[in-house]
């Protein structure tokens, strides 16, 4: 079953894919520019090494995995990514956490305008919250 | 449970002398991050003074904290302790055997504690001195039990600072388990062949097909299990076992087992995973017959390096044992229970697959 997009108005489209087998997958669709911008953000975390978990609650291994996924997507010039909810949570956390480092810390700037980034972060945070809420609803 | 003050001091000073001092000392006297906190000695920022502050902060009654476990690394804990009055975050990270955590002052406008809490999956939030002591004790036990090298590193670093560490006392529950002889963390002897370890797990018969397959049954069934890696680093792998109508998925965070009424249903599910991976990869994954070891060997042969998911059968067995003593039995029970529900409630909307997901 394909549910409507969580936000059809944005450059990044995020929609749930409630599969017949009960798994929850997330379909993310965006332009190559947006994907490259997100990949820039993920790549910037490589410098954190083992400290990443302290600042994002995401393990360096998960971050590397998400980075590899996006790199593959971009290498193959594709626009859609279907990932399990757990990977989406990690990816969205990394996108959202990026805004926390703008006070006095050096960080590379992604090829995204501040407005676009802010929109993406809001979308990801809201979608991740919906996904978690949905997952909790399934458990109860 | 006893959390020794010597260890608290050693942990505080080791953290203060690591990454946290190198990267964050300027935040403590900059009003943008909150009230000024004195971490100076003779007019200069000083890691010992930062360590003294951390030690005091680890006794602050008003601090909130939560503990997350990294299911990809033997369930080692990370505790996030936030003192809102000082706007200070202290992180005790048993996964980080270099610095063991950090202390920093988050951007006061970003609700950092709440966001970390959400990112970590919303584990329970606790408050107060006792909760912090429990978190420190959990940290000590984690690095002591799961990684002797990490404990040695902590002891060595503390020793360099003229501090001592005390071997942490196990929790009463762990003591009970040990007395009862049920602590099977060391069950998987490194010298044992894989098939012997598999046989040592509950629910597995040495002769003939198992009635309720364990995860290891599926992964080691060379005749009936095929699999593929779903990403180029092989962090996620899927396996289909024809004989037991089962699909197993290994990923950095989870081990997911689904058992179906028929081999065809299991294969259909496996095929969907295959197609999804093909779409994400841009090419069709390579299907490998022969179980987990064959898949690992083939990945090495094709790429020239080890799969990131890495795990030998022995490693998977150890992780299963670390997760929970009864996980394999619960797996069988869960599968049976779901299969019963499937039969008893045919009108319900499900795929007939008994699914059980656990974290490794």
């Amino acid at each position: 079953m394909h549910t409507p997009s969580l936000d059809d108005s944005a450059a990044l489209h995020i929609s749930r894919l409630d599969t017949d087998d009960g798994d929850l997958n997330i379909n993310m669709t965006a332009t190559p520019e947006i994907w490259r911008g997100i990949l820039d953000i993920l790549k910037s975390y490589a410098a954190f090494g083992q400290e990443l978990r302290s600042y994002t609650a995401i393990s360096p291994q998960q971050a590397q995995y998400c980075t590899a996924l996006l790199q593959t997507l971009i290498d193959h010039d594709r626009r859609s990514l279907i990932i399990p909810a757990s990977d989406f949570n990690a990816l969205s956390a990394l996108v959202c956490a990026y805004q926390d480092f703008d006070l006095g810390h050096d960080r590379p700037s992604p090829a995204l305008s501040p407005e676009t980034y802010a929109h993406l972060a809001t979308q990801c945070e809201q979608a991740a919250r919906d996904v978690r809420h949905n997952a909790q609803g399934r458990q109860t | 449970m006893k959390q020794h003050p010597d260890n608290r001091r050693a942990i505080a000073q080791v953290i203060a002398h690591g990454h946290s001092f190198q990267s964050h000392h300027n935040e403590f006297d900059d009003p943008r991050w909150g009230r000024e906190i004195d971490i100076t000695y003779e007019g200069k920022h000083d890691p010992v003074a930062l360590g003294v502050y951390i030690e005091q902060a680890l006794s602050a009654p008003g601090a909130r904290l939560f503990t997350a476990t990294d299911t990809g690394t033997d369930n080692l804990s990370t505790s996030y302790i936030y003192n809102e009055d000082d706007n200070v975050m202290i992180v005790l990270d048993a996964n980080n055997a270099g610095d063991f955590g950090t202390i920093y002052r988050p951007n006061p406008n970003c609700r950092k504690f709440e966001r970390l809490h959400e990112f970590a999956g919303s584990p329970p939030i606790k408050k107060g001195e006792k909760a912090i002591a429990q978190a420190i004790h959990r940290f000590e036990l984690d690095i002591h039990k799961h990684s002797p090298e990490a404990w040695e590193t902590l002891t060595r670093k503390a020793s360099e600072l003229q501090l001592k560490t005390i071997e942490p006392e196990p929790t009463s529950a762990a003591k009970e388990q040990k007395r009862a002889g049920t602590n099977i963390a060391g069950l998987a002897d490194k010298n044992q062949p894989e098939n012997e370890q598999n046989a040592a797990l509950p629910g597995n018969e040495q002769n003939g097909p198992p009635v309720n397959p364990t995860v290891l049954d599926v992964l080691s069934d060379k005749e009936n299990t095929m699999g593929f890696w779903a990403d180029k680093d092989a962090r996620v792998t899927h396996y289909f076992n024809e004989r037991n109508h089962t699909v197993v998925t290994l990923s950095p965070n989870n081990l997911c087992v689904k058992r179906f009424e028929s081999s065809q249903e299991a294969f259909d599910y496996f095929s969907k995973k295959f197609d999804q991976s093909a779409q994400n990869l841009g090419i069709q994954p390579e299907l490998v017959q022969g179980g987990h070891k064959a898949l690992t060997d083939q990945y090495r042969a094709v790429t020239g390096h080890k799969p990131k998911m890495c795990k030998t059968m022995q490693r998977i067995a150890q992780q299963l044992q670390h997760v929970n003593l009864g996980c394999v039995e619960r797996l069988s029970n869960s599968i049976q229970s779901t299969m019963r529900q499937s039969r008893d409630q045919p009108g319900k909307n499900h795929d007939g697959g008994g699914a059980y997901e656990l974290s490794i």
Side-chain angles (χ1 to χ4, degrees):
Chain A
M1 181 179 68
H2 183 269
T3 58
S5 171
L6 296 171
D7 185 349
D8 278 326
S9 66
L12 172 67
H13 295 274
I14 304 170
S15 58
R16 292 199 308 263
L17 292 172
D18 292 315
T19 59
D20 293 340
D21 48 54
D23 286 347
L24 178 59
N25 290 328
I26 307 297
N27 186 11
M28 303 173 76
T29 305
T31 62
E33 291 73 27
I34 295 288
W35 283 126
R36 274 195 290 273
I38 295 175
L39 182 61
D40 284 349
I41 290 171
L42 299 193
K43 282 182 172 175
S44 75
Y45 287 120
F48 283 69
Q50 286 297 314
E51 300 295 335
L52 183 65
R53 193 183 279 100
S54 295
Y55 301 102
T56 65
I58 303 300
S59 72
Q61 292 79 15
Q62 279 179 297
Q64 283 170 9
Y65 176 63
C66 291
T67 307
L69 264 184
L70 259 61
Q71 186 68 63
T72 306
L73 181 94
I74 289 168
D75 289 348
H76 289 87
D77 198 25
R78 293 198 325 278
R79 297 184 176 209
S80 288
L81 179 69
I82 297 172
I83 50 177
S86 57
D87 290 340
F88 173 73
N89 282 332
L91 182 58
S92 58
L94 293 168
V95 170
C96 293
Y98 187 75
Q99 64 193 285
D100 300 346
F101 303 106
D102 63 351
L103 186 60
H105 295 281
D106 292 330
R107 63 172 186 181
S109 296
L112 292 171
S113 69
E115 295 75 22
T116 305
Y117 168 74
H119 195 176
L120 287 181
T122 304
Q123 273 187 280
C124 285
E125 189 162 16
Q126 185 57 50
R129 208 167 278 158
D130 288 349
V131 168
R132 278 194 292 270
H133 182 73
N134 186 276
Q136 284 164 2
R138 285 157 188 251
Q139 286 169 3
T140 54
Chain B
M1 185 275 293
K2 281 185 184 172
Q3 198 285 306
H4 202 284
D6 282 353
N7 285 356
R8 182 179 298 222
R9 175 160 299 165
I11 291 165
Q13 286 294 343
V14 168
I15 288 175
H17 280 76
H19 160 87
S20 53
F21 187 72
Q22 294 154 20
S23 300
H24 299 287
H25 56 91
N26 286 329
E27 296 163 1
F28 288 84
D29 50 13
D30 186 329
R32 288 183 298 170
W33 278 277
R35 75 170 184 88
E36 186 180 338
I37 296 170
D38 185 9
I39 58 158
T40 60
Y41 179 70
E42 295 185 342
K44 291 181 180 175
H45 289 138
D46 178 51
V48 174
L50 179 59
V52 170
Y53 173 77
I54 294 174
E55 191 182 345
Q56 288 169 352
L58 289 176
S59 302
R64 289 180 292 156
L65 72 135
F66 68 88
T67 299
T69 51
D70 189 331
T71 52
T73 56
D74 293 349
N75 279 359
L76 298 182
S77 64
T78 307
S79 289
Y80 301 82
I81 303 164
Y82 183 55
N83 184 325
E84 195 164 0
D85 292 341
D86 289 352
N87 184 35
V88 163
M89 186 84 69
I90 299 173
V91 183
L92 304 178
D93 187 2
N95 296 281
N96 182 352
D99 291 326
F100 298 101
T102 191
I103 176 171
Y104 61 93
R105 304 186 87 180
N107 181 334
N109 303 316
C110 75
R111 297 172 51 249
K112 188 69 180 177
F113 182 77
E114 287 76 15
R115 287 153 67 87
L116 284 171
H117 180 243
E118 278 191 26
F119 297 159
S122 304
I125 291 179
K126 297 174 182 173
K127 190 172 182 180
E129 206 172 341
K130 189 178 174 190
I132 296 175
Q134 286 173 339
I136 301 171
H137 191 56
R138 168 81 190 269
F139 169 80
E140 294 172 347
L141 287 173
D142 273 1
I143 58 176
H144 188 265
K145 189 173 91 177
H146 291 282
S147 174
E149 299 83 5
W151 181 258
E152 284 172 19
T153 304
L154 179 70
T155 300
R156 178 178 51 76
K157 289 191 170 189
S159 172
E160 288 167 4
L161 299 167
Q162 315 290 319
L163 296 168
K164 63 179 179 180
T165 54
I166 310 293
E167 297 270 319
E169 286 183 26
T171 59
S172 52
K175 281 180 186 169
E176 284 296 318
Q177 199 178 47
K178 196 173 180 181
R179 265 202 294 276
T182 55
N183 185 352
I184 61 168
L187 183 69
D189 185 334
K190 287 178 180 174
N191 298 320
Q192 251 185 331
E194 287 176 0
N195 56 353
E196 286 181 26
Q197 287 170 28
N198 193 16
L201 286 168
N204 188 13
E205 302 292 335
Q206 278 183 291
N207 300 314
V211 176
N212 291 310
T214 67
V215 174
L216 299 186
D217 288 328
V218 171
L219 297 181
S220 61
D221 186 348
K222 293 174 186 169
E223 301 297 319
N224 299 288
T225 296
M226 67 170 75
F228 64 91
W229 55 88
D231 59 290
K232 67 177 184 178
D233 291 326
R235 285 186 171 89
V236 178
T237 48
H238 298 282
Y239 302 89
F240 161 64
N241 182 277
E242 189 173 10
R243 185 175 60 173
N244 291 308
H245 319 158
T246 302
V247 176
V248 173
T249 300
L250 292 178
S251 70
N253 302 313
N254 289 302
L255 184 156
C256 183
V257 183
K258 284 180 182 284
R259 196 176 184 203
F260 296 81
E261 291 281 11
S262 70
S263 174
Q264 185 59 48
E265 283 177 285
F267 184 73
D268 289 346
Y269 176 79
F270 182 72
S271 297
K272 272 196 277 187
K273 293 289 178 194
F274 184 87
D275 293 341
Q276 188 187 97
S277 301
Q279 189 183 343
N280 285 338
L281 282 168
I283 54 168
Q284 289 215 328
E286 185 170 352
L287 265 179
V288 180
Q289 180 75 36
H292 179 72
K293 189 173 184 310
L295 186 68
T296 305
D297 291 345
Q298 180 64 13
Y299 182 85
R300 278 186 184 149
V302 170
T303 65
H305 51 85
K306 288 181 186 177
K308 286 278 166 44
M309 188 56 194
C310 80
K311 305 184 190 301
T312 60
M313 291 294 285
Q314 177 184 315
R315 183 78 178 134
I316 294 167
Q318 286 173 332
Q319 288 192 318
L320 284 168
Q321 290 153 14
H322 276 140
V323 171
N324 190 307
L325 178 62
C327 65
V328 177
E329 288 160 323
R330 287 194 292 116
L331 167 63
S332 296
N333 292 340
S334 171
I335 288 172
Q336 286 180 322
S337 165
T338 318
M339 299 284 275
R340 267 199 304 275
Q341 285 174 12
S342 170
R343 283 193 297 271
D344 296 346
Q345 301 172 357
K348 278 217 157 189
N349 181 25
H350 53 64
D351 63 356
Y356 185 75
E357 193 164 342
L358 56 86
S359 300
I360 58 172

